[in-house]
Amino acid sequence: AGPVAESIVSFLQNLDERRAEAGPIATNFVSFLRNLRGSSLRAWRLELDLRSSGRVAFPDFAAACRRLVPAARSREIWRDLKDANDIGSLAFHEFDPEEAQSLELFVQALWKEVNLDLNQAWEMLDYSCQGFLTYEVFREGAEALGFEGDTKVLFSGLDSSGLGRMRREDLEYTRKVSSVARAAFRGGGRFRAAEDLEY
């Protein structure tokens, strides 16, 4: 396998290891948001990542905690979610490693099939030019791209409206929220090394 594939494999293995790391207060907070919005990714985008940057700084996280659960201990939740050696902003794969794995597998498929060209990807997915994707259309397109993850979980997360219609801007958000995509664009479309990934 080449360096790109090895980097992605390394990253996905790291997500598996992170699943058991979060403390109970963080786990409860993530579950609360997942139940609130029906998906961790949708909750992340609508409740936490209000700047649409793909990552969340602590002041924004604390403000969201106060708004959503006034009694929430935001700093304790943050410490439970974050890697102890990472003083930067919060990434989605730290917030919900399991759901992030589906996202990163999808980005991997996009990379392999269309070199992360989201214009080309959207044309493939929205083959009937409706301007949106239903779940069935998305599932067919994702499978054609070689995606082997959970299409229902992924679609639910990317469909920010929650109305069963995924739009182009939802696909574009993967470039910001996926750590694999962020590392790819930071590296000029390829990984220099596995440690370039943001985990």
Side-chain angles (χ1 to χ4, degrees):
V4 170
E6 290 173 0
S7 296
I8 293 173
V9 168
S10 173
F11 179 73
L12 293 178
Q13 287 174 342
N14 183 268
L15 291 187
D16 282 333
E17 293 168 3
R18 281 196 60 85
R19 287 181 184 179
E21 290 181 7
I25 187 171
T27 300
N28 290 340
F29 182 69
V30 173
S31 295
F32 164 74
L33 285 180
R34 187 188 302 118
N35 291 335
L36 179 69
R37 289 293 187 174
S39 159
S40 289
L41 181 55
R42 187 187 300 149
W44 168 271
R45 186 174 176 186
L46 299 181
E47 303 294 349
L48 300 179
D49 186 19
L50 300 184
R51 300 178 192 272
S52 295
S53 67
R55 296 179 72 98
V56 178
F58 177 73
D60 292 336
F61 181 82
C65 285
R66 289 193 298 271
R67 173 171 49 82
L68 293 162
V69 187
R73 300 191 296 271
S74 58
R75 192 166 294 279
E76 185 176 346
I77 298 171
W78 180 269
R79 284 198 302 264
D80 280 351
L81 291 171
K82 288 293 293 176
D83 185 317
N85 299 317
D86 184 354
I87 60 172
S89 54
L90 186 69
F92 180 63
H93 71 260
E94 295 172 307
F95 181 72
D96 189 334
E98 186 169 359
E99 196 165 318
Q101 189 167 42
S102 285
L103 172 68
E104 302 299 356
L105 285 170
F106 180 64
V107 170
Q108 178 183 359
L110 291 176
W111 198 337
K112 181 178 179 182
E113 293 301 317
V114 297
N115 198 32
L116 279 180
D117 183 332
L118 298 184
N119 291 323
Q120 186 178 350
W122 182 257
E123 289 175 3
M124 289 180 63
L125 293 167
D126 185 25
Y127 57 85
S128 60
C129 300
Q130 293 187 98
F132 64 88
L133 307 175
T134 62
Y135 169 68
E136 286 303 323
V137 171
F138 175 77
R139 180 185 59 77
E140 292 171 8
E143 290 176 356
L145 286 166
F147 175 61
E148 298 179 349
D150 190 324
T151 52
K152 286 186 177 181
V153 167
L154 182 61
F155 181 82
S156 179
L158 292 176
D159 170 25
S160 61
S161 71
L163 300 175
R165 294 189 171 193
M166 178 180 157
R167 301 193 176 273
R168 177 162 183 155
E169 55 264 33
D170 297 326
L171 180 66
E172 291 284 345
Y173 186 65
T174 62
R175 179 179 296 187
K176 298 177 181 179
V177 73
S178 160
S179 290
V180 169
R182 289 171 68 97
F185 287 105
R186 189 176 66 246
R190 64 184 180 190
F191 290 131
R192 294 180 293 277
E195 57 267 23
D196 284 344
L197 287 164
E198 299 177 8
Y199 53 74

